Each structure stands twice: as C-alpha cells, then as structure tokens.
Amino acid sequence: LLALRSILGANIRAEILYKLLTGAGIAVKKLSNEIGYSYSSVYMEVLSLKRNGLLSEKDEGRYHKLYLSAKGTTLIKNINSLFA
C-alpha cells in the first residue's frame, strides 16, 4: 500500500487497487464499506479505472464483482519493482 500511495497519493484510487490485490472479486458496495469511502465516490472511481483498463467486472449472480485486469496487475507489479 505504501508503494501505491507514494506513486498515486493517499487517495481512493490507491485504496481500491490495494484492496483488489488479493485477487478475490468484490462488489462496489462492499468495497466502499471496507475502505471507508462513500458508495458514489467509489463507484465513480471504479468507472474511471474500468475505462482505463485497470479493472474488469464479472457478473456473479446478483453481484457485479470487480477484479484487477491484466493491465492493472502489470501496473501494480511495475510500481512494486520500483521500490524493491
């Protein structure tokens, strides 16, 4: 998280990407509850990250779960390698 914050700043984007590093899918509502930001703020940032290809979304029953895309995973690995 510290590496992400140093590049992206201490903001909602860093929190979302860090939370999705586990590889487990998560719905926007649950994500907003877990990182402590409002649903609308998280939703708007998720839309931006999806438009930029960093997140993907899969329909799983009633829920639309978010995952890091291949591009997002590569970005995180590159950021981490800068600080290794």
Side-chain angles (χ1 to χ4, degrees), residues 12 28 31 40 64-66 73:
I12 191 169
V28 175
L31 178 62
S40 59
H64 303 278
K65 292 197 175 179
L66 300 168
T73 302

Side-chain angles (χ1 to χ4, degrees), residues 24-72:
I26 190 168
V28 175
K29 183 165 180 75
K30 184 174 181 182
L31 178 62
S32 68
N33 289 336
E34 290 187 10
I35 65 174
Y37 286 90
S38 71
Y39 175 85
S40 59
S41 297
V42 172
Y43 181 76
M44 295 305 292
E45 191 59 40
V46 162
L47 288 178
S48 174
L49 290 168
K50 282 175 33 181
R51 271 193 306 268
N52 290 308
L54 299 176
L55 298 183
S56 61
E57 186 176 29
K58 294 182 185 173
D59 292 341
E60 296 183 11
R62 293 179 28 193
Y63 301 100
H64 303 278
K65 292 197 175 179
L66 300 168
Y67 296 88
L68 275 178
S69 67
K71 184 178 177 181

